[in-house]
Structure formats: structure tokens, C-alpha cells
Amino acid sequence: MSGNVRIVTDSTATLEKTTIDKYGIEVVPLKVLFGEEVFNEGVDIGSGDFYSRISRGEIPTTSHPGEDEFIDVYKKSLGSGSSILSIHTPSKLSGTVDAARAARKKFSNEAIEIIDSRTIGLGMLVIPAAEAASKGKSLKQVNDFVQNLNNAIYTVGALNTLEYLKRGGRIGTARALLGGMLRIKPILSFEEGEVKILGKARTTKRAIRSMIDLVSRNMKSGESIHAVIVYTSDNGPAISLRDEIDRNFKCDNLELSQIGPVLGTHIGPGFFGLGFYESRYLKGLSK
């Protein structure tokens, strides 16, 4: 359990059940729809089934949780006498944060803080938040700590196709690449929750090289990093990227994680990338 501060997040964090149980994290699911079939992410549908279905040509859509779902979760947590830090997928990618904020207004006298993350690597914020809360930190301390991580995190990836971003309306400035992307992998970052173009690569090997260079340019020399390698349908390129990150940088933490159905709906099969921040930003855990 997370002491007097309860952590609430959403299913795009793709947390392991053991982690959820260890810290008592409340996870509000987003929904994936195939036609009239509606699934709660991480509850009714997993990544394996989801990517299998889109490989057969099925076209998914998504929807975010409603205000009432957050009200129920907040009531449950506040009823135990805890305060709440609610951390969610970027508002520029989903209406989840807006639903959480609407629910927050129903508890005007209660201690609830909401964080609009800047990354698709949501677990990189949620897990440290839960660890800080478990050490007895106050809501302000945990909130300040996570906001600092949120500002420090950097996310970059290579898309196999822009079709899914285009279909979901999340293409942002990457729209400029449409029409000339045959056999080219766009290198994109997720800055302040928005998709931005960083470059293009013709092969997976060159995409990995570009990402290594980007990590080098966005960290201080000699600093160790905390990194998570992510992928959608194919872990081969992600494993190669992980090996290169391990070879080129000092890593205090280096994990491999499959992206869930909701984000997979918008970035499509074949995506791989990483989120990282310098490990010095985790020092707040020990203070």
C-alpha cells in the first residue's frame, strides 16, 4: 500500500499485477473497440489478442474513461483517509485527464492532485510515484517529485507506418511526412504529449542509430540513465535497441515493455522506441 498517498493511473501505464498489488495502485481502464465489441484495456483484452486482431485487418478505435469512473475510484481512495495523486496519459493524446479533472471538481475540499504526463512511458512516472508514497512522503512531496520526473523524461521511437496516427487524428506535426513515406521509418518524439518529427531512417539499424544519437544529445556526459524500451507487435528491433543502449550508456535500470492496446491503436504495429531520464532525478526518493 502507498501510505497516506494513493496513486491512481490509467491502463496505458501497462503495469504488472504484482506492481499494482504491491503499492495498491488504482488503475482506471481505457477502452478498445472492434466494431460494437467493447473491451476494458488490461481487463478484457491483452496485447497478444489485440495485435493478433489488427494483423488480420481488424480496425480498432478507443475511448477514454468517463467522469463517473474517476469519481468512484476517488471515493474509494478518499474513504480510506488517503490523499490522491492521479497520473495519466497525455491530454493531447486522450481525454482521460479531462475526465479526471472533471471528477476532481466533485471533491473540492479533498486532497487530489492530477498530473498530465508528457510521455507514453507512463509507468516511468507511476512506479516512482508509488515508491515515494510508500516511503511516507506527503502529497506535495510526491507531486513535486513526479512533476520533476515528468519534465525530465524524454521519449523517442520509430514508426513502421503513419497510417494509425493519421486514422486516430494524433498525427500532429508528423502530417508533413505524409505522402512520401514509402519504406521510410519516421523518427518521432513525444514532447509535452505531442507527436513531433525528429528525422527519418530507411532501415531499422539506422533508426536505432538515430535514437542512440538522440539519447547522447539529451543527457549530460557521464550520467547514468533509467530507461524503458517499448514496442508494439514485434520485440526484435526493441531487443536490438535495448542491447545498444546497454552497450553505449551506463544504465541503472533498463527494461523491456510491450505497449498495450490503446496506445497500439494509435501508433500501430512495428513501433519501437524508448523513454528515459537521468537517474539523478530519482534522488528525491531517498530524501
Side-chain angles (χ1 to χ4, degrees):
M1 295 290 288
S2 299
N4 291 324
V5 179
R6 296 295 298 272
I7 304 302
V8 176
T9 189
D10 60 70
S11 57
T12 65
T14 59
L15 302 176
E16 297 288 341
K17 187 178 185 302
T18 53
T19 300
I20 294 170
D21 292 343
K22 177 181 179 180
Y23 295 111
I25 299 170
E26 293 285 350
V27 180
V28 182
L30 277 75
K31 295 173 176 58
V32 178
L33 298 82
F34 283 100
E36 295 186 358
E37 292 182 275
V38 181
F39 302 94
N40 289 310
E41 182 180 38
V43 178
D44 307 318
I45 188 169
S47 296
D49 185 29
F50 171 78
Y51 290 113
S52 176
R53 291 184 72 154
I54 65 172
S55 73
R56 298 195 296 266
E58 295 187 56
I59 299 175
T61 57
T62 64
S63 66
H64 61 77
E67 174 185 338
D68 289 346
E69 293 173 78
F70 280 103
I71 289 174
D72 290 342
V73 169
Y74 292 164
K75 280 182 178 178
K76 176 182 175 182
S77 296
L78 293 170
S80 65
S82 300
S83 54
I84 296 170
L85 183 63
S86 203
I87 310 169
H88 300 290
T89 195
S91 58
K92 291 183 180 179
L93 298 180
S94 169
T96 303
V97 167
D98 292 334
R101 286 171 174 159
R104 167 66 179 82
K105 293 178 181 178
K106 308 297 183 182
F107 304 93
S108 58
N109 296 322
E110 304 291 351
I112 303 174
E113 294 287 351
I114 295 173
I115 292 180
D116 181 357
S117 75
R118 301 174 55 178
T119 178
I120 61 171
L122 193 56
M124 295 186 72
L125 302 180
V126 173
I127 295 173
E131 291 176 348
S134 72
K135 294 178 183 295
K137 306 297 184 182
S138 69
L139 177 60
K140 183 181 186 305
Q141 288 174 318
V142 181
N143 183 52
D144 289 349
F145 168 61
V146 177
Q147 291 285 15
N148 198 33
L149 284 181
N150 197 24
N151 291 328
I153 197 167
Y154 192 85
T155 311
V156 62
L159 287 171
N160 196 46
T161 173
L162 284 169
E163 181 59 33
Y164 289 82
L165 280 177
K166 178 185 175 184
R167 185 186 297 158
R170 269 79 171 181
I171 200 162
T173 58
R175 186 175 303 279
L177 293 175
L178 290 173
M181 293 307 300
L182 291 177
R183 296 187 299 277
I184 293 178
K185 296 180 182 294
I187 309 299
L188 306 177
S189 68
F190 296 85
E191 299 176 25
E192 298 183 1
E194 186 175 10
V195 178
K196 296 189 177 181
I197 307 165
L198 296 180
K200 296 174 284 186
R202 291 192 176 275
T203 66
T204 296
K205 185 175 181 179
R206 289 182 179 177
I208 291 173
R209 185 70 256 166
S210 294
M211 284 186 263
I212 296 295
D213 292 342
L214 286 163
V215 174
S216 295
R217 292 201 298 268
N218 285 277
M219 64 175 289
K220 291 184 178 180
S221 177
E223 288 284 349
S224 60
I225 63 172
H226 184 102
V228 175
I229 311 300
V230 295
Y231 65 96
T232 52
S233 57
D234 179 7
N235 68 359
I239 290 172
S240 296
L241 175 60
R242 181 191 62 187
D243 292 346
E244 285 299 310
I245 291 291
D246 192 37
R247 185 176 298 116
N248 285 275
F249 304 99
K250 178 183 177 182
C251 301
D252 289 333
N253 184 81
L254 183 59
E255 299 176 12
L256 189 69
S257 177
Q258 186 172 29
I259 290 172
V262 168
L263 291 177
T265 294
H266 301 295
I267 57 181
F271 173 89
F272 69 101
L274 78 152
F276 79 94
Y277 41 67
E278 293 173 0
S279 298
R280 61 191 174 92
Y281 288 101
L282 292 172
K283 290 181 180 178
L285 277 175
S286 59
K287 292 181 180 179

